Amino acid sequence: ETGVTQTPRHLVMGMTNKKSLKCEQHLGHNAMYWYKQSAKKPLELMFVYSLEERVENNSVPSRFSPECPNSSHLFLHLHTLQPEDSALYLCASSQDVAGSFSTNEKLFFGSGTQLSVL
Amino acid sequence: LAKTTQPISMDSYEGQEVNITCSHNNIATNDYITWYQQFPSQGPRFIIQGYKTKVTNEVASLFIPADRKSSTLSLPRVSLSDTAVYYCLVGDIGGYGGSQGNLIFGKGTKLSVKP
């Protein structure tokens, strides 16, 4: 148990569906992240949030829409996805934003949502 | 952006010590070195972090030479359950949206432990 919980664990959706991924952290952290991991590819950083403010968007298509209502919750809203978006979506948190003036932040990951787009 | 280089894969047998080396020639003065472990269909898990010399915890040891241009993760007496991908990350200083070295995962090293 890492203190980061993601739901659902598995999700199958059609290309016209709208769905949302949820992440909750119980660690009192200030920063949260979304990563995408496609089969046999490295993890790709998608979004970075610090105290509910988005501080990074790594050229992610607009069909992925993040939302961070408070520092404990992070959502990823999905709409009109493509089959190539099928992947493991991972949420992570850290005490403060890694990569800023703090290079010793440790990331705590959830178990991920395995997404299949048909 | 500090770039890291690791072997793509390694094989070992149960009970052996495994050493995985990561090269980071462009490491900056204030950068830390962090290692993660990832099992299939799970998120990476923090293993160990260091700045210089040697760090040891209940899971692994991390050796960092004086020039800090490389680091070696040492796993003592591996078991089958240590089969996983191991990532080496090095941080950068750059402010928000600047450099994200310690958020960037490369391909890692896939360690296979055999009976």
Side-chain angles (χ1 to χ4, degrees):
Chain A
E1 178 57 51
T2 64
V4 180
T5 304
Q6 288 188 245
T7 54
R9 190 72 177 89
H10 301 274
L11 178 63
V12 179
M13 60 186 291
M15 290 189 285
T16 58
N17 292 157
K18 291 184 179 181
K19 297 287 184 182
S20 296
L21 310 184
K22 179 182 177 181
C23 177
E24 182 175 3
Q25 56 98 356
H26 310 275
L27 302 169
H29 288 168
N30 295 320
M32 297 187 77
Y33 313 83
W34 280 116
Y35 281 85
K36 173 186 177 183
Q37 187 171 35
S38 303
K40 300 182 179 181
K41 290 185 178 181
L43 282 83
E44 301 172 53
L45 180 64
M46 300 176 72
F47 300 104
V48 179
Y49 275 84
S50 174
L51 295 171
E52 303 126 55
E53 177 186 348
R54 187 191 309 178
V55 297
E56 189 66 32
N57 172 355
N58 274 357
S59 302
V60 179
S62 59
R63 58 185 182 270
F64 295 92
S65 176
E67 178 189 3
C68 188
N70 55 62
S71 59
S72 298
H73 293 85
L74 185 65
F75 295 89
L76 187 62
H77 303 300
L78 315 171
H79 63 98
T80 60
L81 294 191
Q82 305 298 312
E84 59 265 29
D85 296 321
S86 298
L88 180 66
Y89 288 85
L90 292 160
C91 172
S93 71
S94 62
Q95 184 61 55
D96 292 297
V97 175
S100 58
F101 300 102
S102 172
T103 68
N104 63 340
E105 291 296 334
K106 305 174 184 66
L107 298 175
F108 293 80
F109 283 84
S111 297
T113 295
Q114 187 66 55
L115 174 67
S116 297
V117 181
L118 304 179
Chain B
L1 183 66
K3 182 177 179 180
T4 60
T5 303
Q6 306 175 231
I8 294 297
S9 63
M10 294 182 67
D11 291 331
S12 182
Y13 291 93
E14 282 190 293
Q16 289 187 331
E17 178 185 75
V18 172
N19 296 308
I20 305 174
T21 297
C22 178
S23 297
H24 28 80
N25 292 318
N26 298 322
I27 190 168
T29 303
N30 289 354
D31 287 348
Y32 282 76
I33 302 156
T34 309
W35 285 78
Y36 292 86
Q37 173 193 57
Q38 185 181 25
F39 298 113
S41 300
Q42 293 187 28
R45 180 177 74 103
F46 171 85
I47 300 177
I48 198 167
Q49 184 181 76
Y51 181 78
K52 61 180 180 180
T53 62
K54 176 183 176 183
V55 180
T56 297
N57 61 24
E58 64 278 6
V59 177
S61 293
L62 180 60
F63 298 91
I64 306 169
D67 66 6
R68 304 202 326 121
K69 293 184 181 299
S70 67
S71 59
T72 299
L73 174 72
S74 181
L75 304 172
R77 298 179 297 282
V78 294
S79 64
L80 296 176
S81 62
D82 292 315
T83 294
V85 178
Y86 293 82
Y87 299 96
C88 164
L89 277 72
V90 173
D92 276 330
I93 299 173
Y96 290 142
S99 43
Q100 302 168 321
N102 55 353
L103 295 176
I104 305 301
F105 289 75
K107 295 182 179 180
T109 298
K110 184 175 183 180
L111 172 65
S112 297
V113 179
K114 303 174 182 178

